[in-house]
Amino acid sequence: EESGLTMKKFSSHVIISPKELTFKDFQLSTYKSSFAGYFSMRYTNWKSFSHFNDSVFMIADLEMSNVNAADMSYFTNNLKGIDFDFRFKGGMSGTLKNLKSDGFSLYFGSISQMVGFIELKGLPNIDSTYFSFQVKKLTTNALDLEKIPLPPFSKKTYLKVPKEIDRLGVIKYQGNLKGTFSDMQIDGFATTKIGNANMDVHLFKSQKTDEFNYKGKIDAQHFNIGVLSGVKQFGTITFDGYIDG
């Protein structure tokens, strides 16, 4: 392939025309990933590929696929140096700059999974990409979050998770996430090993330390504030108030 991506195996029913390139029932394997399902690109003419990010409309319906993000780096410099494995199932449509999913499931790490609907605006520039994620189910923990690579990926830096997140244990969440990967609004309900909470929280990365800070409103039920804060004198409480840390 012209991009440099090496394919081990590929099979598909292919439709090629001046306005469409479609792969039905395709199976694709590289040395790091495997994909299967349906993928189509629609365009005005072949010159549209010269402005791929906003001129080629894509439709994808993937069966459960094992993906290493390194394979995507062959198509955009914004992902150069990335090495991150995940599994994905679901449909997406739109141009790369304006993608929308009507339902997907994503799995990574040891326990993490995300199920829901999402809109992405601004790809392939990861730093400035805006997302709106309606979360039907999200499960994760600090160990998995700390394995998420951050741009520039060639520096091999990873998400810095506040110690309070580690103290929550396994986090299960349902609600909405909106913003960028360094500045997002969290509005929903979470369950953890130390209590449950309705939250409306702003999570953002500090420009000085590169660590994430948070502030917003929490309505917590039977929440062990002592474990969260690291102060043993505190115990389990129910409260409705503001946090900033």
Side-chain angles (χ1 to χ4, degrees), residues 3 68-82:
S3 66
N68 186 295
D71 282 340
M72 300 178 184
S73 69
Y74 290 101
F75 304 98
T76 171
N77 290 329
N78 298 88
L79 294 177
K80 293 297 183 185
I82 195 170

Side-chain angles (χ1 to χ4, degrees), residues 3 11 18 22 32 62 64 72 75 79 82 87 114-115 118 127 129 154 162 194 199 227 240:
S3 66
S11 63
T22 296
K32 293 186 176 183
L62 296 182
M64 186 63 74
M72 300 178 184
F75 304 98
L79 294 177
I82 195 170
R87 293 185 297 147
M114 296 186 289
V115 179
I118 194 168
D127 288 335
T129 293
S154 58
I194 63 173
M199 59 183 69
V227 173
D240 182 358

Side-chain angles (χ1 to χ4, degrees), residues 5 30 32-35 65-87 106 126 147-149 153 156:
L5 178 65
T30 72
K32 293 186 176 183
S33 306
S34 61
F35 306 85
S65 299
N66 298 304
V67 185
N68 186 295
D71 282 340
M72 300 178 184
S73 69
Y74 290 101
F75 304 98
T76 171
N77 290 329
N78 298 88
L79 294 177
K80 293 297 183 185
I82 195 170
D83 184 13
F84 184 68
D85 291 300
F86 62 94
R87 293 185 297 147
L106 185 148
I126 299 295
K147 295 177 182 177
I148 297 176
F153 301 108
K156 304 299 180 185

Side-chain angles (χ1 to χ4, degrees), residues 8-155:
K8 292 175 60 180
K9 176 184 177 182
F10 177 73
S11 63
S12 177
H13 299 293
V14 182
I15 299 174
I16 303 176
S17 79
K19 295 183 180 295
E20 177 185 355
L21 179 58
T22 296
F23 304 93
K24 294 182 177 181
D25 300 318
F26 79 86
Q27 292 185 343
L28 168 64
S29 297
T30 72
Y31 286 97
K32 293 186 176 183
S33 306
S34 61
F35 306 85
Y38 172 93
F39 180 68
S40 180
M41 293 181 285
R42 315 290 171 84
Y43 39 85
T44 303
N45 51 53
W46 294 114
K47 292 182 180 179
S48 299
F49 284 90
S50 299
H51 307 280
F52 181 88
N53 293 348
D54 52 15
S55 298
V56 177
F57 189 90
M58 298 175 289
I59 303 171
D61 187 7
L62 296 182
E63 301 172 11
M64 186 63 74
S65 299
N66 298 304
V67 185
N68 186 295
D71 282 340
M72 300 178 184
S73 69
Y74 290 101
F75 304 98
T76 171
N77 290 329
N78 298 88
L79 294 177
K80 293 297 183 185
I82 195 170
D83 184 13
F84 184 68
D85 291 300
F86 62 94
R87 293 185 297 147
F88 180 90
K89 177 183 179 180
M92 299 197 78
S93 62
T95 63
L96 188 60
K97 279 191 174 181
N98 191 1
L99 274 177
K100 182 178 181 180
S101 172
D102 56 2
F104 77 95
S105 302
L106 185 148
Y107 307 84
F108 69 93
S110 58
I111 68 163
S112 294
Q113 58 177 301
M114 296 186 289
V115 179
F117 311 91
I118 194 168
E119 291 187 43
L120 297 163
K121 298 180 183 294
L123 289 173
N125 191 332
I126 299 295
D127 288 335
S128 60
T129 293
Y130 176 87
F131 60 83
S132 177
F133 183 16
Q134 183 182 343
V135 184
K136 294 179 65 177
K137 180 180 181 181
L138 187 154
T139 303
T140 192
N141 61 13
L143 184 63
D144 282 354
L145 292 175
E146 289 172 343
K147 295 177 182 177
I148 297 176
L150 298 177
F153 301 108
S154 58
K155 292 187 176 181

Side-chain angles (χ1 to χ4, degrees), residues 211-234:
E211 294 183 348
F212 276 86
N213 298 328
Y214 54 87
K215 61 181 178 180
K217 186 177 180 181
I218 294 286
D219 179 7
Q221 301 94 40
H222 307 292
F223 210 86
N224 193 323
I225 196 69
V227 173
L228 181 66
S229 64
V231 180
K232 295 181 179 180
Q233 289 82 356
F234 296 155

